[in-house]
Amino acid sequence: MWFQMFLCRDRNMTIDLALRAKRSGFRALVLTVDYPTASLKYHDIKSQYNYVYPIVNYNPYNVSELNNFVAKDCIWKDIQWLKETTGLPIVIKGILTAEDARLAVDNGADAILVSNHGGRQLDGSPATLEALPEIVKEVGREIDVYMDGGVRTGADVFKALAIGAKVVFVGRPVCWGLVCNGSDGVKQVLDILHNELDNYMTIAGTPTVGDITRNHVRYVNDYRNHLKSIL
């Protein structure tokens, strides 16, 4: 089990939460770094939707809204501080460039989760599948690189694994399954993804996940360069 968290304005609150997670059996911290504040969502403003996050883990601190406690003054050295203070591995979630991946690793990150927050934070941010190659190239030999965002089919999982993701995380489909049929719905969603991936691997001639390589995907530029060489 991994505990996803933010750096809080009150650093004592950050450590308290992290150590509570550790005592509860969590074995790593997933530190989200792409949420210094909520993004403007005009359709929600128009509909007067109220973003309130009644997060049980934060109830002892009388916190109900993320913007009231998420730190806006984070620095890279906070990674090493959190790691040393808690004794837990730190996975950095929200990295989209090779430069930031390098900074995260140089400052103590044990793994990186390539994520764009579901595309809900910054308009124009790259799709995670587009950002993945440069990050894998930069730090993939040193630490594990994971990916989430936009994963809807087993084919999506295959592509991410081929580009170099060690693990592919799934968000919204799991939520849909949970809403439709509780834990059974979640299991059904995961079963669908597993069956699709198995089918895709069979057709692609990859008996095991270890057989999936970068040679199994090709980008648009690859085709363009191939066409130029023919012409």
Side-chain angles (χ1 to χ4, degrees):
M1 297 189 299
W2 296 355
F3 184 71
Q4 186 270 329
M5 64 180 299
F6 304 87
L7 279 177
C8 307
R9 297 180 185 181
D10 182 347
R11 294 301 196 269
N12 290 327
M13 179 177 164
T14 302
I15 294 302
D16 186 31
L17 281 168
L19 293 179
R20 283 176 58 205
K22 184 177 182 179
R23 290 192 299 269
S24 299
F26 290 85
R27 292 292 175 260
L29 300 176
V30 181
L31 184 62
T32 298
V33 296
D34 63 346
Y35 195 105
T37 189
S39 61
L40 291 174
K41 299 179 175 67
Y42 291 112
H43 58 286
D44 290 334
I45 295 173
K46 183 178 180 179
S47 65
Q48 297 183 345
Y49 183 84
N50 185 21
Y51 274 93
V52 176
Y53 299 79
I55 305 173
V56 174
N57 286 320
Y58 297 99
N59 282 350
Y61 313 99
N62 296 317
V63 169
S64 62
E65 217 288 321
L66 285 179
N67 281 346
N68 291 336
F69 77 93
V70 173
K72 294 178 172 60
D73 59 346
C74 305
I75 59 176
W76 289 107
K77 290 183 179 179
D78 284 329
I79 298 173
Q80 193 63 41
W81 165 77
L82 186 61
K83 183 176 179 178
E84 292 176 353
T85 306
T86 63
L88 291 174
I90 307 295
V91 180
I92 301 299
K93 176 180 181 290
I95 299 295
L96 288 173
T97 67
E99 293 84 357
D100 279 348
R102 171 50 55 197
L103 284 167
V105 172
D106 289 348
N107 282 278
D110 295 285
I112 285 174
L113 175 50
V114 179
S115 175
N116 62 8
H117 217 94
R120 297 181 292 109
Q121 271 296 91
L122 187 66
D123 283 349
S125 59
T128 51
L129 197 66
E130 294 176 333
L132 182 62
E134 68 176 75
I135 295 172
V136 170
K137 182 178 179 180
E138 178 67 29
V139 300
R141 294 182 181 273
E142 303 169 52
I143 62 167
D144 284 350
V145 177
Y146 314 131
M147 192 203 83
D148 72 10
V151 178
R152 299 293 181 268
T153 68
D156 296 332
V157 176
F158 184 97
K159 295 167 190 175
L161 293 173
I163 294 172
K166 185 75 172 180
V167 176
V168 179
F169 287 78
V170 181
R172 286 178 188 165
V174 168
C175 293
W176 297 333
L178 182 66
V179 170
C180 287
N181 198 24
S183 59
D184 288 340
V186 173
K187 183 179 184 302
Q188 185 177 5
V189 167
L190 295 178
D191 285 343
I192 290 171
L193 288 171
H194 182 275
N195 290 335
E196 289 176 344
L197 176 60
D198 183 70
N199 179 262
Y200 207 89
M201 289 172 59
T202 301
I203 297 173
T206 51
T208 70
V209 170
D211 295 314
I212 303 174
T213 70
R214 175 64 177 78
N215 292 328
H216 288 97
V217 293
R218 180 168 290 178
Y219 293 97
V220 172
N221 285 339
D222 294 336
Y223 284 110
R224 289 173 178 166
N225 292 335
H226 178 65
L227 183 61
K228 287 181 182 178
S229 65
I230 294 176
L231 296 176

PDB file of all heavy atoms in Angstrom, residues 103-128:
ATOM      1  N   LEU A 103      15.824  16.461 -11.776  1.00  0.00           N
ATOM      2  CA  LEU A 103      15.859  17.162 -10.502  1.00  0.00           C
ATOM      3  C   LEU A 103      15.259  16.312  -9.386  1.00  0.00           C
ATOM      4  O   LEU A 103      15.776  16.285  -8.258  1.00  0.00           O
ATOM      5  CB  LEU A 103      15.095  18.482 -10.612  1.00  0.00           C
ATOM      6  CG  LEU A 103      15.818  19.610 -11.354  1.00  0.00           C
ATOM      7  CD1 LEU A 103      14.841  20.739 -11.677  1.00  0.00           C
ATOM      8  CD2 LEU A 103      16.969  20.144 -10.515  1.00  0.00           C
ATOM      9  N   ALA A 104      14.191  15.609  -9.692  1.00  0.00           N
ATOM     10  CA  ALA A 104      13.557  14.762  -8.685  1.00  0.00           C
ATOM     11  C   ALA A 104      14.503  13.651  -8.230  1.00  0.00           C
ATOM     12  O   ALA A 104      14.651  13.394  -7.027  1.00  0.00           O
ATOM     13  CB  ALA A 104      12.267  14.164  -9.242  1.00  0.00           C
ATOM     14  N   VAL A 105      15.146  13.010  -9.179  1.00  0.00           N
ATOM     15  CA  VAL A 105      16.070  11.920  -8.840  1.00  0.00           C
ATOM     16  C   VAL A 105      17.271  12.446  -8.074  1.00  0.00           C
ATOM     17  O   VAL A 105      17.693  11.866  -7.062  1.00  0.00           O
ATOM     18  CB  VAL A 105      16.524  11.186 -10.123  1.00  0.00           C
ATOM     19  CG1 VAL A 105      17.642  10.189  -9.804  1.00  0.00           C
ATOM     20  CG2 VAL A 105      15.345  10.462 -10.764  1.00  0.00           C
ATOM     21  N   ASP A 106      17.827  13.561  -8.519  1.00  0.00           N
ATOM     22  CA  ASP A 106      19.002  14.127  -7.846  1.00  0.00           C
ATOM     23  C   ASP A 106      18.682  14.586  -6.425  1.00  0.00           C
ATOM     24  O   ASP A 106      19.592  14.749  -5.610  1.00  0.00           O
ATOM     25  CB  ASP A 106      19.551  15.304  -8.658  1.00  0.00           C
ATOM     26  CG  ASP A 106      20.214  14.860  -9.950  1.00  0.00           C
ATOM     27  OD1 ASP A 106      20.451  13.644 -10.111  1.00  0.00           O
ATOM     28  OD2 ASP A 106      20.481  15.727 -10.809  1.00  0.00           O
ATOM     29  N   ASN A 107      17.402  14.786  -6.143  1.00  0.00           N
ATOM     30  CA  ASN A 107      17.010  15.230  -4.804  1.00  0.00           C
ATOM     31  C   ASN A 107      16.363  14.123  -3.977  1.00  0.00           C
ATOM     32  O   ASN A 107      15.727  14.404  -2.964  1.00  0.00           O
ATOM     33  CB  ASN A 107      16.069  16.422  -4.907  1.00  0.00           C
ATOM     34  CG  ASN A 107      16.807  17.714  -5.211  1.00  0.00           C
ATOM     35  OD1 ASN A 107      17.359  18.354  -4.325  1.00  0.00           O
ATOM     36  ND2 ASN A 107      16.830  18.093  -6.489  1.00  0.00           N
ATOM     37  N   GLY A 108      16.541  12.873  -4.412  1.00  0.00           N
ATOM     38  CA  GLY A 108      16.172  11.755  -3.550  1.00  0.00           C
ATOM     39  C   GLY A 108      14.954  10.952  -3.929  1.00  0.00           C
ATOM     40  O   GLY A 108      14.586  10.015  -3.205  1.00  0.00           O
ATOM     41  N   ALA A 109      14.291  11.262  -5.042  1.00  0.00           N
ATOM     42  CA  ALA A 109      13.114  10.484  -5.431  1.00  0.00           C
ATOM     43  C   ALA A 109      13.487   9.035  -5.706  1.00  0.00           C
ATOM     44  O   ALA A 109      14.504   8.750  -6.333  1.00  0.00           O
ATOM     45  CB  ALA A 109      12.460  11.096  -6.669  1.00  0.00           C
ATOM     46  N   ASP A 110      12.660   8.121  -5.223  1.00  0.00           N
ATOM     47  CA  ASP A 110      12.903   6.693  -5.439  1.00  0.00           C
ATOM     48  C   ASP A 110      12.197   6.171  -6.684  1.00  0.00           C
ATOM     49  O   ASP A 110      12.537   5.109  -7.201  1.00  0.00           O
ATOM     50  CB  ASP A 110      12.432   5.904  -4.220  1.00  0.00           C
ATOM     51  CG  ASP A 110      13.245   6.239  -2.979  1.00  0.00           C
ATOM     52  OD1 ASP A 110      14.393   5.790  -2.881  1.00  0.00           O
ATOM     53  OD2 ASP A 110      12.727   6.983  -2.114  1.00  0.00           O
ATOM     54  N   ALA A 111      11.202   6.901  -7.151  1.00  0.00           N
ATOM     55  CA  ALA A 111      10.483   6.542  -8.380  1.00  0.00           C
ATOM     56  C   ALA A 111       9.720   7.774  -8.843  1.00  0.00           C
ATOM     57  O   ALA A 111       9.506   8.715  -8.076  1.00  0.00           O
ATOM     58  CB  ALA A 111       9.526   5.373  -8.149  1.00  0.00           C
ATOM     59  N   ILE A 112       9.317   7.747 -10.112  1.00  0.00           N
ATOM     60  CA  ILE A 112       8.571   8.873 -10.688  1.00  0.00           C
ATOM     61  C   ILE A 112       7.295   8.347 -11.315  1.00  0.00           C
ATOM     62  O   ILE A 112       7.307   7.334 -12.031  1.00  0.00           O
ATOM     63  CB  ILE A 112       9.417   9.611 -11.743  1.00  0.00           C
ATOM     64  CG1 ILE A 112      10.482  10.467 -11.055  1.00  0.00           C
ATOM     65  CG2 ILE A 112       8.547  10.479 -12.650  1.00  0.00           C
ATOM     66  CD1 ILE A 112      11.436  11.117 -11.994  1.00  0.00           C
ATOM     67  N   LEU A 113       6.196   9.035 -11.025  1.00  0.00           N
ATOM     68  CA  LEU A 113       4.923   8.728 -11.657  1.00  0.00           C
ATOM     69  C   LEU A 113       4.605   9.849 -12.639  1.00  0.00           C
ATOM     70  O   LEU A 113       4.267  10.969 -12.245  1.00  0.00           O
ATOM     71  CB  LEU A 113       3.818   8.601 -10.601  1.00  0.00           C
ATOM     72  CG  LEU A 113       2.377   8.403 -11.078  1.00  0.00           C
ATOM     73  CD1 LEU A 113       2.281   7.274 -12.092  1.00  0.00           C
ATOM     74  CD2 LEU A 113       1.461   8.131  -9.891  1.00  0.00           C
ATOM     75  N   VAL A 114       4.768   9.551 -13.920  1.00  0.00           N
ATOM     76  CA  VAL A 114       4.462  10.527 -14.964  1.00  0.00           C
ATOM     77  C   VAL A 114       2.950  10.733 -14.976  1.00  0.00           C
ATOM     78  O   VAL A 114       2.185   9.805 -15.222  1.00  0.00           O
ATOM     79  CB  VAL A 114       4.953  10.026 -16.338  1.00  0.00           C
ATOM     80  CG1 VAL A 114       4.622  11.040 -17.425  1.00  0.00           C
ATOM     81  CG2 VAL A 114       6.448   9.747 -16.301  1.00  0.00           C
ATOM     82  N   SER A 115       2.528  11.969 -14.692  1.00  0.00           N
ATOM     83  CA  SER A 115       1.097  12.240 -14.540  1.00  0.00           C
ATOM     84  C   SER A 115       0.815  13.699 -14.861  1.00  0.00           C
ATOM     85  O   SER A 115       1.618  14.580 -14.550  1.00  0.00           O
ATOM     86  CB  SER A 115       0.657  11.925 -13.103  1.00  0.00           C
ATOM     87  OG  SER A 115      -0.698  12.276 -12.901  1.00  0.00           O
ATOM     88  N   ASN A 116      -0.340  13.955 -15.486  1.00  0.00           N
ATOM     89  CA  ASN A 116      -0.768  15.337 -15.721  1.00  0.00           C
ATOM     90  C   ASN A 116      -2.043  15.657 -14.951  1.00  0.00           C
ATOM     91  O   ASN A 116      -2.829  16.511 -15.346  1.00  0.00           O
ATOM     92  CB  ASN A 116      -0.951  15.608 -17.221  1.00  0.00           C
ATOM     93  CG  ASN A 116      -2.027  14.739 -17.846  1.00  0.00           C
ATOM     94  OD1 ASN A 116      -2.763  14.017 -17.154  1.00  0.00           O
ATOM     95  ND2 ASN A 116      -2.153  14.787 -19.165  1.00  0.00           N
ATOM     96  N   HIS A 117      -2.251  14.935 -13.856  1.00  0.00           N
ATOM     97  CA  HIS A 117      -3.401  15.163 -12.971  1.00  0.00           C
ATOM     98  C   HIS A 117      -4.714  14.961 -13.727  1.00  0.00           C
ATOM     99  O   HIS A 117      -5.680  15.712 -13.529  1.00  0.00           O
ATOM    100  CB  HIS A 117      -3.343  16.573 -12.364  1.00  0.00           C
ATOM    101  CG  HIS A 117      -3.831  16.620 -10.939  1.00  0.00           C
ATOM    102  ND1 HIS A 117      -2.994  16.523  -9.856  1.00  0.00           N
ATOM    103  CD2 HIS A 117      -5.079  16.743 -10.420  1.00  0.00           C
ATOM    104  CE1 HIS A 117      -3.679  16.594  -8.747  1.00  0.00           C
ATOM    105  NE2 HIS A 117      -4.960  16.727  -9.055  1.00  0.00           N
ATOM    106  N   GLY A 118      -4.728  13.981 -14.607  1.00  0.00           N
ATOM    107  CA  GLY A 118      -5.945  13.685 -15.348  1.00  0.00           C
ATOM    108  C   GLY A 118      -6.306  14.748 -16.365  1.00  0.00           C
ATOM    109  O   GLY A 118      -7.443  14.790 -16.840  1.00  0.00           O
ATOM    110  N   GLY A 119      -5.348  15.636 -16.691  1.00  0.00           N
ATOM    111  CA  GLY A 119      -5.622  16.715 -17.616  1.00  0.00           C
ATOM    112  C   GLY A 119      -6.503  17.796 -17.018  1.00  0.00           C
ATOM    113  O   GLY A 119      -7.046  18.641 -17.735  1.00  0.00           O
ATOM    114  N   ARG A 120      -6.639  17.807 -15.683  1.00  0.00           N
ATOM    115  CA  ARG A 120      -7.566  18.731 -15.028  1.00  0.00           C
ATOM    116  C   ARG A 120      -6.870  19.946 -14.417  1.00  0.00           C
ATOM    117  O   ARG A 120      -7.539  20.813 -13.852  1.00  0.00           O
ATOM    118  CB  ARG A 120      -8.330  17.999 -13.923  1.00  0.00           C
ATOM    119  CG  ARG A 120      -9.202  16.871 -14.433  1.00  0.00           C
ATOM    120  CD  ARG A 120      -9.956  16.175 -13.305  1.00  0.00           C
ATOM    121  NE  ARG A 120      -9.043  15.449 -12.425  1.00  0.00           N
ATOM    122  CZ  ARG A 120      -8.757  15.816 -11.181  1.00  0.00           C
ATOM    123  NH1 ARG A 120      -9.296  16.908 -10.671  1.00  0.00           N
ATOM    124  NH2 ARG A 120      -7.942  15.108 -10.442  1.00  0.00           N
ATOM    125  N   GLN A 121      -5.545  20.029 -14.501  1.00  0.00           N
ATOM    126  CA  GLN A 121      -4.851  21.114 -13.842  1.00  0.00           C
ATOM    127  C   GLN A 121      -4.405  22.217 -14.814  1.00  0.00           C
ATOM    128  O   GLN A 121      -4.732  23.368 -14.633  1.00  0.00           O
ATOM    129  CB  GLN A 121      -3.627  20.576 -13.090  1.00  0.00           C
ATOM    130  CG  GLN A 121      -3.908  20.143 -11.664  1.00  0.00           C
ATOM    131  CD  GLN A 121      -4.331  21.292 -10.777  1.00  0.00           C
ATOM    132  OE1 GLN A 121      -5.513  21.588 -10.651  1.00  0.00           O
ATOM    133  NE2 GLN A 121      -3.377  21.957 -10.155  1.00  0.00           N
ATOM    134  N   LEU A 122      -3.634  21.852 -15.827  1.00  0.00           N
ATOM    135  CA  LEU A 122      -3.036  22.851 -16.705  1.00  0.00           C
ATOM    136  C   LEU A 122      -3.412  22.585 -18.154  1.00  0.00           C
ATOM    137  O   LEU A 122      -3.023  21.561 -18.723  1.00  0.00           O
ATOM    138  CB  LEU A 122      -1.508  22.830 -16.543  1.00  0.00           C
ATOM    139  CG  LEU A 122      -0.726  23.927 -17.261  1.00  0.00           C
ATOM    140  CD1 LEU A 122      -1.057  25.288 -16.663  1.00  0.00           C
ATOM    141  CD2 LEU A 122       0.777  23.663 -17.154  1.00  0.00           C
ATOM    142  N   ASP A 123      -4.181  23.501 -18.743  1.00  0.00           N
ATOM    143  CA  ASP A 123      -4.540  23.359 -20.156  1.00  0.00           C
ATOM    144  C   ASP A 123      -3.276  23.357 -21.007  1.00  0.00           C
ATOM    145  O   ASP A 123      -2.359  24.153 -20.802  1.00  0.00           O
ATOM    146  CB  ASP A 123      -5.432  24.522 -20.597  1.00  0.00           C
ATOM    147  CG  ASP A 123      -6.856  24.361 -20.122  1.00  0.00           C
ATOM    148  OD1 ASP A 123      -7.194  23.263 -19.639  1.00  0.00           O
ATOM    149  OD2 ASP A 123      -7.634  25.325 -20.217  1.00  0.00           O
ATOM    150  N   GLY A 124      -3.231  22.467 -21.974  1.00  0.00           N
ATOM    151  CA  GLY A 124      -2.096  22.415 -22.882  1.00  0.00           C
ATOM    152  C   GLY A 124      -0.962  21.539 -22.405  1.00  0.00           C
ATOM    153  O   GLY A 124       0.058  21.413 -23.098  1.00  0.00           O
ATOM    154  N   SER A 125      -1.093  20.951 -21.220  1.00  0.00           N
ATOM    155  CA  SER A 125      -0.033  20.048 -20.764  1.00  0.00           C
ATOM    156  C   SER A 125      -0.031  18.808 -21.647  1.00  0.00           C
ATOM    157  O   SER A 125      -1.076  18.388 -22.155  1.00  0.00           O
ATOM    158  CB  SER A 125      -0.249  19.661 -19.297  1.00  0.00           C
ATOM    159  OG  SER A 125      -1.498  19.021 -19.128  1.00  0.00           O
ATOM    160  N   PRO A 126       1.136  18.199 -21.851  1.00  0.00           N
ATOM    161  CA  PRO A 126       1.206  17.052 -22.760  1.00  0.00           C
ATOM    162  C   PRO A 126       0.500  15.832 -22.192  1.00  0.00           C
ATOM    163  O   PRO A 126       0.358  15.695 -20.965  1.00  0.00           O
ATOM    164  CB  PRO A 126       2.710  16.803 -22.886  1.00  0.00           C
ATOM    165  CG  PRO A 126       3.292  17.331 -21.620  1.00  0.00           C
ATOM    166  CD  PRO A 126       2.450  18.527 -21.277  1.00  0.00           C
ATOM    167  N   ALA A 127       0.046  14.979 -23.086  1.00  0.00           N
ATOM    168  CA  ALA A 127      -0.459  13.682 -22.649  1.00  0.00           C
ATOM    169  C   ALA A 127       0.690  12.914 -22.014  1.00  0.00           C
ATOM    170  O   ALA A 127       1.847  13.043 -22.431  1.00  0.00           O
ATOM    171  CB  ALA A 127      -1.026  12.910 -23.838  1.00  0.00           C
ATOM    172  N   THR A 128       0.399  12.133 -21.012  1.00  0.00           N
ATOM    173  CA  THR A 128       1.466  11.426 -20.305  1.00  0.00           C
ATOM    174  C   THR A 128       2.211  10.448 -21.217  1.00  0.00           C
ATOM    175  O   THR A 128       3.413  10.240 -21.057  1.00  0.00           O
ATOM    176  CB  THR A 128       0.900  10.679 -19.091  1.00  0.00           C
ATOM    177  OG1 THR A 128      -0.222   9.887 -19.503  1.00  0.00           O
ATOM    178  CG2 THR A 128       0.435  11.661 -18.033  1.00  0.00           C
TER     179      THR A 128
END
